[in-house]
Amino acid sequence: MFHIAIDGPAGAGKSSIAKEAARRLGFVYVDTGALYRTVALNALNQGVDLENSDAVIASLDGTDIRLAFEDGTQKVLLNGQDVSDSIRTEQVSAGASKVSAIPAVREFLFGLQKNIAASCDCLMDGRDIGTVVLPDADLKIFLTASPEERARRRYEQNRERGMEADYDAILAEVNQRDYQDTHREIAPLRQAGDAVLLDSTHMSFQEVVDRLLQLVEEKR
């Protein structure tokens, strides 16, 4: 098995980069952030206050979250229903950061992530993959970009989708998310000691993918 761990802050392009790299490598791509988003969506659907850790934990009782892979594409199933699109709203995104700080939530999802990795060559991205989930990964990448560049990218994405876009508000959200992810007590976002730093601020999408594939070849 060959395992690649990609960590980094929100908006660094981990999902799109990882998805393309996995496609070209013929690996399974695992978006662990989608799992935390699903926990948040599940709690919100139940009317749970995400600031109430006990209530979030209680919302997981009887909840079934799984990943399914069809033609290399990941789908997220919540109690058997495909929620791959529903978890991509701004509200759910903000909620994912909150629920991911709850130790019991991380424990709930930890086994699922480990089991997937044990069964295939995979490229897994998130916040603590190289430090906690796959500490023995064959290749670890810490993918980042400046807060301003990450906010600019999200601003452009929102405009392309016909959504309201306020750059200053998005930048504030990016900075807040960074603070939450790096200051949580359990598995805070940090670069693993043996991870390769890949700053995409001044790189194109294809340049980042090519660099990642080059690093894979060097490791193999």
Side-chain angles (χ1 to χ4, degrees):
M1 300 293 176
F2 194 97
H3 297 149
I4 304 170
I6 301 183
D7 293 308
K14 296 187 302 296
S15 296
S16 55
I17 295 295
K19 190 180 300 182
E20 175 61 14
R23 184 189 68 78
R24 290 173 59 176
L25 288 166
F27 283 21
V28 168
Y29 163 57
V30 184
D31 173 11
T32 63
L35 299 174
Y36 290 98
R37 287 171 177 266
T38 305
V39 169
L41 176 65
N42 180 62
L44 290 169
N45 285 347
Q46 296 180 37
V48 170
D49 178 1
L50 300 186
E51 301 289 348
N52 186 333
S53 297
D54 290 338
V56 172
I57 295 169
S59 74
L60 292 173
D61 187 36
T63 297
D64 179 39
I65 297 176
R66 299 184 185 183
L67 295 181
F69 300 93
E70 296 181 8
D71 298 324
T73 299
Q74 173 184 285
K75 291 189 175 182
V76 190
L77 305 179
L78 173 59
N79 298 325
Q81 179 181 359
D82 185 354
V83 295
S84 304
D85 293 330
S86 305
I87 61 174
R88 296 301 169 182
T89 67
E90 291 294 336
Q91 182 185 25
V92 172
S93 179
S97 183
K98 294 177 181 178
V99 302
S100 66
I102 303 173
V105 170
R106 305 195 75 83
E107 185 65 27
F108 177 81
L109 296 175
F110 183 75
L112 173 59
Q113 297 171 64
K114 293 287 285 187
N115 289 339
I116 293 172
S119 65
C120 60
D121 293 326
C122 71
L123 195 162
M124 188 176 292
D125 76 25
R127 300 287 189 280
D128 62 348
I129 309 305
T131 54
V132 177
V133 181
L134 298 178
D136 298 320
D138 300 279
L139 174 63
K140 300 177 187 178
I141 302 289
F142 192 83
L143 179 64
T144 189
S146 69
E148 292 77 14
E149 175 61 15
R150 286 182 280 136
R152 185 194 68 77
R153 292 172 184 172
R154 185 173 300 173
Y155 172 80
E156 293 296 340
Q157 288 175 348
N158 287 352
R159 290 190 63 188
E160 290 173 3
R161 295 170 181 167
M163 301 167 58
E164 291 187 11
D166 182 327
Y167 172 80
D168 290 334
I170 293 173
L171 178 58
E173 290 174 4
V174 167
N175 286 324
Q176 177 63 24
R177 181 72 181 271
D178 285 354
Y179 183 85
Q180 290 175 343
D181 288 344
T182 56
H183 286 78
R184 65 186 180 216
E185 291 186 18
I186 305 298
L189 171 65
R190 64 180 178 83
Q191 181 178 342
D194 54 348
V196 177
L197 177 64
L198 187 51
D199 189 330
S200 68
T201 302
H202 302 294
M203 298 175 70
S204 68
F205 174 85
Q206 197 56 56
E207 287 173 337
V208 178
V209 173
D210 289 344
R211 176 56 179 153
L212 197 159
L213 294 177
Q214 179 184 13
L215 290 168
V216 173
E217 286 304 311
E218 292 172 359
K219 282 291 183 179
R220 292 172 114 178

